[in-house]
Structure formats: structure tokens, C-alpha cells
């Protein structure tokens, strides 16, 4: 007799991790449907067709965001790739969402930076007149500088499938925008040039330039997380900050600075805490990113002082510890000199005219402060600096994380910014990944904080004669994004000891970072649809 097994009463068991993932997935999909309904279905200032295109574009972008979040969640929770691979994929996929969510020209001064990069692209392509560009490459119809607007979504959606319309008209190229160092746009120029060679339209040229700028950050984050002896999660979360993601997915030199700073600081920490004699390739990991970003903004040479904390035991002779700075500083000075004195491709006089007057109270002021005026009245100087830190400091801190994006006009939901801040603190103290303990002496903490302090103070002091009009109570023209690249040297000194948690919290921290990044993209899309021209 053959016995037939009775499965009618057998329970179906689902592993707890898979069940949690399925519940989260269902919740995210439900949230996606709700978010799609929140998109404004009628944009009165547009035609019916353009309104439909904008709404469809926004809904596709929202659903793409949720699909990417689910994919990353599944990958992180079940496949558990190495953290550096995970970091690379997260920054790449989230960055692509940013590229399509934040429209061309909307990032701070992006039009000028695009023009500057275009000049360098002309040099690469061997153009005879590098200050001229094809009319089609500067077709900004439907786009608005410093604004993320729904009409730009319409333009983007149409240009994805519209071939380039060749025009014989040639236009003047504005720029370089106060930048003469060719390395300032080393990442975005690659994509811009490829787009021009392939004869693409304005949108795709912009997109390829933004993509290669993002790939620069992807490369730097991968090796930063791989090389960092500790605080690996900090570098990933820093890369995902809304301000950082906007910078590396747009046309600007801040993207190059932020990417190189992350790699440089991680490499510096590697050399500080690694054992044995320094290898020649360790010098390169410090030298190359420092030499790239130093000439762009000289203040970012300051983190180089951290290499002085490399133990003397890592050098064959004591003098080599200090000599390591010499080739880096020489390279930075040489690149800066080439940019300012030998670079023949600047388009001087092409920049827009500076602001000549401002209204303060009921008075129209046309004269700015000068250093001679300020130093002759030191109490005024210190009062301006003190007021700026006291009253503007919290605003700059929020902007540093990305509270205001898209030319400082797109305001993010505050819990997102608070969430990133708290997540950084958790990431700083979740240290089950490092090989061994990496103690921080009081001297090192003070030195790192001093480095950040000097980076923080430099733009404030420089903006006094550059942007501040007589009668102003605070320094004008300073933006929080100027300090984002220096955040690693601000957070690391606050490390105390690992959190006393029995289980590894790496995966929850990474997933929380992905969730906050997705929330940022959704915030951007919904805000843009409510900001139709």
C-alpha cells in the first residue's frame, strides 16, 4: 500500500527577514500610489498636453524611486554585498534619480558652470574659437535658472525622444565663471564632450555631463569606504546628503571638491591607522585627490594637515613625515599658477555685471566693505563675524545638509534633514566593521575641529569685501554648501566609542540612508509639481 502524505494541515513558514521585507515593500508601494495622487493633476499655466506630460513624468519618477528603493533593500537585506560595493550602487542609483528630478540650470549658478565646462570641452575638441558654441547646445527653452519647475519636466520628457535640430547659429560662451583651473570640471567635461561628439541635444549633453560628475563621486565613495579603517558608514551617509547629491549631479566644481575630499580624508585616515611602513601607492591615494581639489578652492588644502598625524613609525626617517606635504603643496601651487597665469582660454569680461547696490532698511547702499575699512575698525569686524555666526550659523548648518536645494529655492521637509543628521551620529558610532580600535587623542580631535573652523571662517571673511554692503549687520553671500565637503573633519572628532549593541546595525543604517535619500527625491518631485511656471 502506498501512503499519500497529507499536506492539508502543514503550515507555510516564511522567514522573518523575508516577511519584514515584504511588509516594507507593500508599504512603499502604497506610499508610491499615494504620492502619485498628490501630484497636481492640473497645471493651469500650461496647455493640457504639457500638463499631462509633466504629471506623467512626475509619476514615472516617483515609481522609479520606489522600485530602486525596493531593489536596494532586497540587495542589502538578502545578498549582503561588500559595503564598498553597496555604497557604489546606492550612490549611483540615487544619483540617477537626482539627475532626472533636479532639472538643468536649477542648481546654484549651473548655467555659468555649464558654460565654463563648455570652454574646456572646446579645448579638448580642438575648436579654433573656444569662446563660441553651437546654438543648439544652449537652448534653454522651458528651463529656469535657480528654479526646479514643472515646465522643465515637460522639456526633459520631450527631449528624451527628440533628435537634435542642427542650427548654424553660433553664440558666445559665458565664462569661465571665476574659474581658470581646467581641473575644476574634470568630471562633467568628460560627459559634456561625449554628448557633443555624439551630436546630442541640449538635454542629453547636460545629462551626460551630470552623469560623469556623479561617476566621479561613485568612484571616490567606493574607494573611500573600502580604504577607511573606521567610520566607513559615515562616508556613505555623507555622500548621500541632499546637498552633496545635488552638487555631484550638476555642473559645478563643488562636485569635484566634495568627491575628492571624501576620498582624500578616507585615505588620510587609512595612512594614520595602518601598520608598517607606508607604501608608495599610499602616497598616491593622498596626493591625487588633494592635488585635484586644492587648486579649485585653496581652503581645501587645509585638511592636508591631517597627514601630520601619521605615526612616525610608518616612515623610514622622521623628516619624511613632514616631507610628505611638500609634493602635494607644490602640485597644488603649480596647478593654481598654471590656471591663473598660463591658462590662455579664459573669457574675461563675459561674466554678468555684479550687483552694484542693495537696499538695507530704507537706505540704498552702493558701496561694499573693504579690508582696510574693517581692520581700521576691529570692533565692527568682530561684530559682523559674531552676528553672522550667531544668527546665520543655524541656517548655514541646515543648508550644509541640504535644507535648501535648487539654487536655494527648493525647501526640503525638515525631518529629512534631522534624519540625516541623526543617522550620521549613529553611523559614526556603529563600528563593528573596522579591523581594530582607532583611538582619537584629544590633540587630534582639537586639530580636526580647528581645520573645520578655518574652512568655515574663510568664506565668511572673504565675503566681507566681496558681497557685504556697508550697513549690513551680517556677512552677505555665504551659503551652507560651501562647508559640505569639510563635514568629515567635523564629525570624526565627536566619536567617543562604539555603540553597545549586540547585533550589527550596519544594514539598518544603510537602509535608513536609502530611505532618506528616496524621501528627498519624492520631496523634490512633489515640490516641483507645485511650482509650475
Amino acid at each position: 500500500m502506498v501512503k499519500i502524505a497529507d499536506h492539508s494541515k502543514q503550515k507555510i513558514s516564511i522567514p522573518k527577514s523575508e516577511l519584514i521585507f515584504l511588509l516594507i515593500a507593500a508599504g512603499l508601494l502604497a506610499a508610491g500610489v499615494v504620492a502619485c495622487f498628490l501630484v497636481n493633476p492640473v497645471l493651469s499655466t500650461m496647455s493640457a498636453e504639457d500638463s499631462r506630460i509633466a504629471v506623467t513624468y512626475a509619476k514615472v519618477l516617483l515609481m522609479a524611486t520606489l522600485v530602486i528603493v525596493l531593489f536596494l533593500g532586497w540587495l542589502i537585506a538578502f545578498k549582503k554585498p561588500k559595503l564598498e560595493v553597496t555604497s557604489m550602487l546606492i550612490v549611483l542609483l540615487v544619483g540617477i534619480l537626482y539627475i532626472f528630478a533636479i532639472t538643468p540650470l536649477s542648481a546654484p549658478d549651473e548655467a555659468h558652470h555649464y558654460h565654463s565646462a563648455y570652454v574646456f570641452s572646446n579645448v579638448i575638441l580642438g575648436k579654433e574659437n573656444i569662446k563660441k558654441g553651437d546654438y543648439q547646445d544652449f537652448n534653454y527653452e522651458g528651463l529656469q535658472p535657480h528654479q526646479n519647475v514643472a515646465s522643465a519636466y515637460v522639456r526633459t520628457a520631450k527631449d528624451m525622444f527628440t533628435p537634435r535640430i542642427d542650427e548654424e547659429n553660433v553664440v558666445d560662451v559665458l565664462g569661465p565663471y571665476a574659474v581658470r583651473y581646467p581641473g575644476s570640471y574634470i568630471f562633467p567635461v568628460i560627459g559634456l564632450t561625449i554628448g557633443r561628439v555624439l551630436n546630442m541635444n541640449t538635454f542629453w549633453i547636460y545629462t551626460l555631463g551630470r552623469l560623469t560628475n556623479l561617476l566621479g563621486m561613485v568612484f571616490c565613495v567606493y574607494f573611500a569606504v573600502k580604504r577607511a579603517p573606521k567610520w566607513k558608514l559615515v562616508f556613505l551617509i555623507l555622500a548621500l546628503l541632499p546637498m552633496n547629491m545635488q552638487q555631484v549631479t550638476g555642473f559645478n566644481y563643488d562636485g569635484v571638491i566634495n568627491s575628492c575630499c571624501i576620498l582624500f580624508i578616507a585615505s588620510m585616515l587609512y595612512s594614520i591607522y595602518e601598520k608598517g611602513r607606508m607604501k608608495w601607492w599610499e602616497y598616491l591615494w593622498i596626493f591625487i585627490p588633494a592635488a585635484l581639489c586644492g587648486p579649485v578652492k585653496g581652503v581645501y588644502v587645509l585638511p592636508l594637515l591631517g597627514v601630520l598625524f601619521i605615526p612616525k613609525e610608518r616612515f623610514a626617517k622622521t623628516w619624511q613625515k613632514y616631507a610628505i606635504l611638500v609634493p602635494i603643496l607644490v602640485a597644488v601651487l603649480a596647478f593654481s599658477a598654471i590656471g591663473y597665469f598660463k591658462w590662455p582660454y579664459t573669457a574675461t569680461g563675459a561674466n554678468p555685471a555684479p550687483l552694484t547696490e542693495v537696499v538695507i532698511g530704507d537706505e540704498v547702499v552702493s558701496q561694499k566693505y573693504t579690508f582696510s575699512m574693517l581692520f581700521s575698525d576691529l570692533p565692527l569686524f568682530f561684530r559682523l563675524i559674531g552676528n553672522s555666526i550667531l544668527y546665520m550659523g543655524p541656517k548655514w548648518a541646515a543648508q550644509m545638509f541640504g535644507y535648501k536645494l535648487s539654487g536655494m529655492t527648493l525647501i526640503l521637509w525638515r525631518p529629512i534633514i534631522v534624519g540625516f543628521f541623526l543617522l550620521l551620529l549613529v553611523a559614526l558610532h556603529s563600528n563593528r566593521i573596522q579591523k581594530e580600535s582607532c583611538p582619537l587623542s584629544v590633540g587630534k580631535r582639537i586639530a580636526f575641529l580647528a581645520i573645520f573652523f578655518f574652512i568655515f571662517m574663510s568664506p565668511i571673511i572673504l565675503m566681507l569685501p566681496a558681497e557685504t554692503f556697508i550697513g549690513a549687520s551680517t556677512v552677505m553671500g555665504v551659503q551652507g554648501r560651501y562647508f559640505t565637503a569639510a563635514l568629515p573633519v567635523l564629525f570624526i572628532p565627536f566619536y567617543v566609542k562604539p555603540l553597545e549593541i549586540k547585533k550589527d546595525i550596519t544594514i539598518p543604517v544603510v537602509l535608513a540612508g536609502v530611505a532618506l535619500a528616496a524621501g528627498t527625491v519624492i520631496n523634490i518631485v512633489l515640490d516641483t509639481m507645485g511650482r509650475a511656471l
Side-chain angles (χ1 to χ4, degrees), residues 163 204 257 432 505:
W204 283 114
I257 292 173
R432 297 173 64 92
I505 61 171

Side-chain angles (χ1 to χ4, degrees), residues 6-304:
D6 183 9
H7 297 285
S8 59
K9 297 181 179 180
Q10 187 173 353
K11 294 182 179 180
I12 300 174
S13 62
I14 301 176
K16 185 183 293 185
S17 58
E18 292 186 18
L19 180 60
I20 293 173
F21 177 77
L22 289 173
L23 291 173
I24 293 174
L28 284 173
L29 288 174
V33 173
V34 172
C36 286
F37 279 111
L38 290 176
V39 174
N40 188 0
V42 177
L43 302 172
S44 58
T45 54
M46 293 183 178
S47 66
E49 180 183 359
D50 285 353
S51 176
R52 179 182 56 79
I53 292 173
V55 170
T56 302
Y57 182 94
K59 290 182 177 180
V60 169
L61 191 52
L62 288 172
M63 295 310 298
T65 302
L66 296 173
V67 168
I68 286 176
V69 169
L70 291 174
F71 168 74
L72 289 173
W74 167 81
L75 184 74
I76 295 165
F78 298 111
K79 296 302 180 181
K80 298 180 176 63
K82 291 182 178 180
L83 187 59
E84 57 266 28
V85 176
T86 302
S87 302
M88 176 183 68
L89 289 173
I90 291 173
V91 173
L92 175 63
L93 294 177
V94 170
I96 290 174
L97 291 174
Y98 267 84
I99 286 174
F100 288 95
I102 296 183
T103 55
L105 302 187
S106 67
D109 302 320
E110 190 171 21
H112 297 292
H113 291 302
Y114 174 72
H115 285 227
S116 302
Y118 197 93
V119 170
F120 299 135
S121 175
N122 275 343
V123 176
I124 293 173
L125 295 175
K127 298 289 184 179
E128 291 183 6
N129 191 339
I130 62 165
K131 299 178 185 178
K132 297 287 184 180
D134 296 335
Y135 172 81
Q136 179 65 17
D137 295 344
F138 301 96
N139 180 7
Y140 298 149
E141 181 183 356
L143 308 177
Q144 185 169 327
H146 295 263
Q147 295 279 346
N148 222 57
V149 291
S151 62
Y153 281 172
V154 176
R155 168 73 188 277
T156 297
K158 290 180 178 179
D159 279 6
M160 283 183 185
F161 309 102
T162 302
R164 176 189 177 95
I165 302 174
D166 288 318
E167 296 281 354
E168 295 181 359
N169 298 347
V170 178
V171 298
D172 290 323
V173 179
L174 297 179
Y177 185 55
V179 177
R180 296 176 175 85
Y181 168 54
S184 305
Y185 302 101
I186 188 170
F187 298 143
V189 163
I190 296 171
L192 188 157
T193 305
I194 292 173
R196 295 179 64 191
V197 169
L198 296 178
N199 204 35
M200 292 182 167
N201 60 29
T202 313
F203 166 74
W204 283 114
I205 290 176
Y206 245 105
T207 301
L208 283 179
R210 288 170 148 201
L211 179 61
T212 51
N213 204 13
L214 170 65
L215 291 177
M217 173 60 90
V218 170
F219 174 89
C220 290
V221 166
Y222 174 84
F223 285 103
V225 174
K226 183 180 178 66
R227 293 178 55 73
K230 196 185 184 95
W231 309 300
K232 293 177 181 288
L233 287 174
V234 172
F235 291 101
L236 169 58
I237 303 303
L238 282 171
L240 286 177
L241 290 181
M243 183 57 73
N244 229 337
M245 292 306 298
Q246 178 186 250
Q247 302 291 59
V248 300
T249 55
F251 266 91
N252 58 72
Y253 48 72
D254 289 310
V256 175
I257 292 173
N258 294 4
S259 299
C260 290
C261 274
I262 282 179
L263 179 57
F264 163 72
I265 293 170
S267 299
M268 177 188 68
L269 292 171
Y270 176 91
S271 295
I272 290 174
Y273 291 110
E274 186 64 17
K275 304 298 183 183
R277 293 283 172 82
M278 277 193 72
K279 308 296 191 300
W280 64 269
W281 47 263
E282 283 187 62
Y283 288 94
L284 291 180
W285 281 110
I286 294 174
F287 174 83
I288 293 175
L292 273 177
C293 70
V296 182
K297 286 185 179 178
V299 69
Y300 288 105
V301 176
L302 288 172
L304 281 172

Side-chain angles (χ1 to χ4, degrees), residues 360-371:
I360 299 179
D362 296 328
E363 182 181 0
V364 177
V365 182
S366 59
Q367 185 179 358
K368 297 176 183 177
Y369 285 110
T370 64
F371 278 131

